[in-house]
Amino acid sequence: MNQGMASLARSPSAMSITRIPQGHSKILQLLKASKVPYVLPFRRVHIRRSPVCCTKFPQWEPSPATYALTEKAGDKFLDKSSELFETLRSESSDSKDEASITKTEDRTDTTNQPVAQLQFLKWPLWLLGPSVLLGTGMVPTLWLPISTIFIGPNVVSLLSLIGLDCIFNLGCTLFLLMADYCAKSKNLGQASKSKPPVSYQFWNLVATLTGLAIPLMMLFGSQKGYLQPQLPFIPYAVLLGPYILLLSVQMLTEMLTWHWESPIWLVTPVVYEAYRVLQLMRGLKLGVELSAPAWMMHTFRGLVCWWVLILGVQLMRVAWFAGFTARAQRQQSSASADA
């Protein structure tokens, strides 16, 4: 037994299997000398047990789903999954688009109904607006006798004449509001602003300031004695006071239409200037009643001629603007046809 143990300790195969530590070598030598049996301490060898897989299952137990993916199959699976997500996204986007389309259609249907109603309400305004302008501007001036308006060269006559012009100004304001409402586009979402050219604004201001400067110069010359016979202030105010006041109101109204970019900027001076010619013709009749000097009567005639000229220029601008709008529409239609 000692020989077998020594052979195990010396054999290279045993040394390759188990390695004896250095501390045990001395113990072995003592054991050889004492001849006491000794068992070498072997290390525990852990044996890996291979799992036993049973491929056969009972009938009542379903077979588990196995997923064995190769590299190519994995790529295909990822591609398919991405395609699946893309289809889901496309379906969700399509559903959102359909929902948005239905919402927009509902909105357009709901908005088109009030627009159609508003367009229906615009039709009477084409007759109501000019009727208001006629009733407030022309009827009092043409049908009321001068004796009921003009009592004499006093403040009462001045206030009565200013009252007539205020009635016209009220009717003119209503007419311009109706015209602005009718000039707006059918689609309320579109902007219907119209800005006049700078040249138009400049020449309009020049014409208005010229018509305002002429009577003021006559008043200054009369008060300084440059014009004879001299005209007192009250008769002068009765003759030209309403004219100056209404001209100032016209300037303010035109500036507001330019600032708001209203499409009625081309109509406003025509309405006021047509009434101004009638106002000056009334002043000629009052000048005869007051026995006004000759220079005042010539001033009235010159103002009538001036505003008739300006009114003709305004009507020419209306014709120019109509042609300009027609050309712009043609260019827009040709551009849309080319696109």
Side-chain angles (χ1 to χ4, degrees):
M1 183 176 177
N2 295 330
Q3 291 177 358
M5 292 174 64
S7 64
L8 285 172
R10 292 176 183 177
S11 61
S13 61
M15 291 300 290
S16 62
I17 296 171
T18 59
R19 188 182 64 181
I20 299 173
Q22 294 179 0
H24 288 213
S25 61
K26 296 179 180 180
I27 296 171
L28 287 174
Q29 292 176 3
L30 292 173
L31 288 173
K32 287 179 181 179
S34 61
K35 296 181 180 181
V36 179
Y38 178 77
V39 180
L40 289 173
F42 291 94
R43 293 185 179 181
R44 293 180 182 179
V45 179
H46 297 280
I47 300 172
R48 295 182 181 178
R49 295 179 181 179
S50 60
V52 179
C53 298
C54 183
T55 58
K56 293 183 180 180
F57 294 92
Q59 295 180 357
W60 62 82
E61 185 177 358
S63 60
T66 58
Y67 298 95
L69 298 176
T70 60
E71 294 180 355
K72 295 182 179 179
D75 296 337
K76 292 181 180 178
F77 176 74
L78 292 175
D79 293 338
K80 290 181 180 179
S81 62
S82 62
E83 292 177 358
L84 176 62
F85 287 119
E86 288 177 358
T87 52
L88 290 174
R89 289 175 183 173
S90 62
E91 289 177 358
S92 62
S93 62
D94 293 337
S95 62
K96 289 180 181 178
D97 293 337
E98 291 176 358
S100 62
I101 289 169
T102 53
K103 287 181 181 179
T104 52
E105 288 178 355
D106 294 336
R107 288 177 182 174
T108 51
D109 292 337
T110 55
T111 52
N112 286 329
Q113 292 178 358
V115 168
Q117 294 176 359
L118 292 174
Q119 290 297 321
F120 180 74
L121 292 175
K122 284 182 179 181
W123 296 344
L125 297 181
W126 287 86
L127 185 61
L128 181 60
S131 299
V132 169
L133 190 63
L134 177 64
T136 57
M138 300 300 161
V139 172
T141 304
L142 294 176
W143 271 271
L144 286 177
I146 298 178
S147 59
T148 59
I149 303 170
F150 178 73
I151 301 174
N154 50 29
V155 180
V156 177
S157 299
L158 176 63
L159 293 177
S160 63
L161 292 173
I162 291 175
L164 281 179
D165 293 340
C166 288
I167 293 172
F168 164 75
N169 190 30
L170 179 62
C172 181
T173 303
L174 293 175
F175 170 78
L176 292 176
L177 290 174
M178 295 178 191
D180 180 75
Y181 180 74
C182 293
K184 290 181 179 178
S185 60
K186 296 181 180 179
N187 189 2
L188 297 178
Q190 295 179 356
S192 58
K193 294 182 179 180
S194 177
K195 188 175 182 180
V198 179
S199 60
Y200 173 84
Q201 298 178 11
F202 174 75
W203 289 112
N204 236 29
L205 285 175
V206 168
T208 306
L209 291 176
T210 302
L212 185 62
I214 291 173
L216 293 178
M217 291 173 62
M218 296 295 107
L219 176 63
F220 180 78
S222 175
Q223 294 296 324
K224 293 296 182 179
Y226 299 121
L227 298 174
Q228 295 294 331
Q230 188 175 0
L231 185 66
F233 179 76
I234 295 296
Y236 178 88
V238 170
L239 292 175
L240 289 176
Y243 165 83
I244 296 173
L245 182 62
L246 191 62
L247 187 59
S248 303
V249 173
Q250 178 189 348
M251 291 178 62
L252 179 62
T253 306
E254 287 185 358
M255 290 179 181
L256 288 175
T257 56
W258 298 343
H259 177 70
W260 294 333
E261 297 182 359
S262 175
I264 60 171
W265 56 268
L266 198 59
V267 184
T268 304
V270 175
V271 176
Y272 277 100
E273 288 163 6
Y275 180 78
R276 183 161 297 112
V277 173
L278 184 63
Q279 187 183 31
L280 291 172
M281 296 298 293
R282 184 186 64 192
L284 282 173
K285 294 180 182 180
L286 293 176
V288 175
E289 294 289 335
L290 288 174
S291 300
W295 60 266
M296 176 59 73
M297 301 301 292
H298 290 304
T299 303
F300 270 105
R301 295 186 184 99
L303 288 174
V304 170
C305 295
W306 172 254
W307 286 114
V308 169
L309 177 64
I310 298 301
L311 181 60
V313 173
Q314 295 289 351
L315 295 176
M316 291 289 290
R317 286 173 178 170
V318 171
W320 167 83
F321 188 76
F324 175 77
T325 305
R327 288 192 299 270
Q329 289 179 354
R330 289 177 184 176
Q331 292 177 359
Q332 186 177 2
S333 62
S334 63
S336 60
D338 294 337

